[in-house]
């Protein structure tokens, strides 16, 4: 439902004089004759909305009917929000209880695993499965780093940099011994 008060940029308790003044200001601002060089369809739409809002809000009977409809709409929206607030915590609790899984292969997964070890003492099979997957993730990461190092070694541009890193850097001098 369109909010005519927002279209005319006035308060819903505005007097007829205020509504009329706001209408005149907005009509001057968005009038299609101001855009002589270019056709502005947005201005046409806006002026139609402004005229429609003014027609309803300038007529005393139509304004009362509109205010009743607007109030019903606001009450309906508030009721929906209340219902969502009541239902949401129950859904979250059920989802948290049913979906207790670890993020395998990540630091946060290891931290969660340690927390669970101290809290609930999970079954040995679960711990073995998680530690195997974490161990595999660490091994795969090391293998990928070694492969990247080998690739960088054989690229001419980075070969000198790799030699300097491995053989001339005091931190890695233990490799050349």
């Amino acid at each position: 439902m369109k909010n005519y008060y927002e279209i005319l940029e006035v308060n819903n308790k505005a007097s007829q004089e205020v509504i009329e003044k706001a209408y005149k200001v907005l009509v001057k601002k968005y009038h299609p004759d101001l855009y002589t060089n270019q056709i502005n369809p947005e201005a046409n739409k806006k002026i139609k909305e402004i005229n429609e809002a003014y027609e309803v809000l300038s007529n005393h009977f139509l304004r009362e009917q509109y205010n009743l409809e607007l109030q019903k709409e606001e009450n309906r929206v508030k009721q929906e929000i209340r219902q969502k607030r009541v239902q949401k915590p129950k859904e979250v609790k059920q989802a948290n209880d049913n979906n207790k899984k670890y993020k395998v292969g990540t630091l946060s997964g290891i931290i969660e695993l340690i927390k669970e070890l101290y809290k609930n003492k999970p079954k040995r099979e679960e711990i073995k499965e998680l530690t195997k997957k974490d161990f595999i993730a660490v091994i795969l990461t090391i293998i990928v780093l070694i492969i990247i190092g080998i690739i960088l070694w054989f690229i001419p541009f980075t070969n000198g940099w790799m030699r300097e890193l491995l053989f001339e850097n005091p931190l890695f001098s233990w490799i050349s011994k």
Side-chain angles (χ1 to χ4, degrees):
M1 177 176 211
K2 293 181 182 178
N3 190 335
Y4 293 140
Y5 294 108
E6 288 180 3
I7 292 172
L8 290 180
E9 300 173 1
V10 294
N11 190 349
N12 60 353
K13 296 178 183 173
S15 66
Q16 285 298 114
E17 293 83 23
V18 172
I19 290 174
E20 189 173 341
K21 195 172 209 178
Y23 169 74
K24 288 179 181 179
V25 168
L26 291 173
V27 166
K28 285 181 184 177
K29 183 177 178 181
Y30 292 105
H31 200 279
D33 292 342
L34 294 175
Y35 304 100
T36 55
N37 294 338
Q38 72 263 15
I39 299 173
N40 193 349
E42 294 170 8
N44 289 334
K45 288 179 186 177
K46 186 72 174 175
I47 206 75
K48 286 179 184 177
E49 287 180 348
I50 292 169
N51 285 331
E52 181 183 348
Y54 180 70
E55 285 177 24
V56 171
L57 297 180
S58 64
N59 186 331
H60 182 68
F61 177 74
L62 291 177
R63 185 174 177 182
E64 286 181 9
Q65 295 297 319
Y66 175 74
N67 286 340
L68 289 173
E69 289 296 320
L70 193 63
Q71 188 63 34
K72 286 180 185 176
E73 181 72 19
E74 288 176 1
N75 289 340
R76 185 186 62 77
V77 169
K78 287 178 183 176
Q79 184 66 25
E80 286 179 3
I81 291 172
R82 281 189 209 120
Q83 288 177 350
K84 287 181 182 178
R85 284 183 187 162
V86 170
Q87 292 173 355
K88 196 170 186 177
K90 292 178 182 175
E91 293 171 1
V92 169
K93 285 181 182 176
Q94 290 172 353
N96 287 341
D97 292 341
N98 295 338
N99 297 327
K100 195 69 170 182
K101 293 186 180 179
Y102 303 107
K103 298 174 187 174
V104 177
T106 62
L107 181 62
S108 62
I110 295 170
I111 293 171
E112 288 177 17
L113 174 65
I114 292 170
K115 286 180 182 177
E116 285 296 319
L117 286 173
Y118 286 108
K119 280 185 187 176
N120 299 332
K121 295 188 179 180
K123 299 177 185 174
R124 286 190 154 237
E125 294 82 28
E126 291 177 8
I127 295 172
K128 285 181 182 179
E129 182 181 334
L130 289 174
T131 53
K132 284 179 188 176
K133 289 180 181 178
D134 285 336
F135 182 71
I136 291 171
V138 169
I139 296 298
L140 287 176
T141 304
I142 292 171
I143 291 172
V144 167
L145 289 174
I146 290 172
I147 291 172
I148 290 172
I150 292 171
I151 291 171
L152 289 175
W153 183 267
F154 287 107
I155 297 174
F157 178 75
T158 57
N159 185 284
W161 175 77
M162 290 293 291
R163 285 178 188 259
E164 182 180 313
L165 175 71
L166 292 176
F167 300 119
E168 296 174 12
N169 191 336
L171 292 175
F172 294 103
S173 63
W174 58 272
I175 295 174
S176 62
K177 290 182 181 180

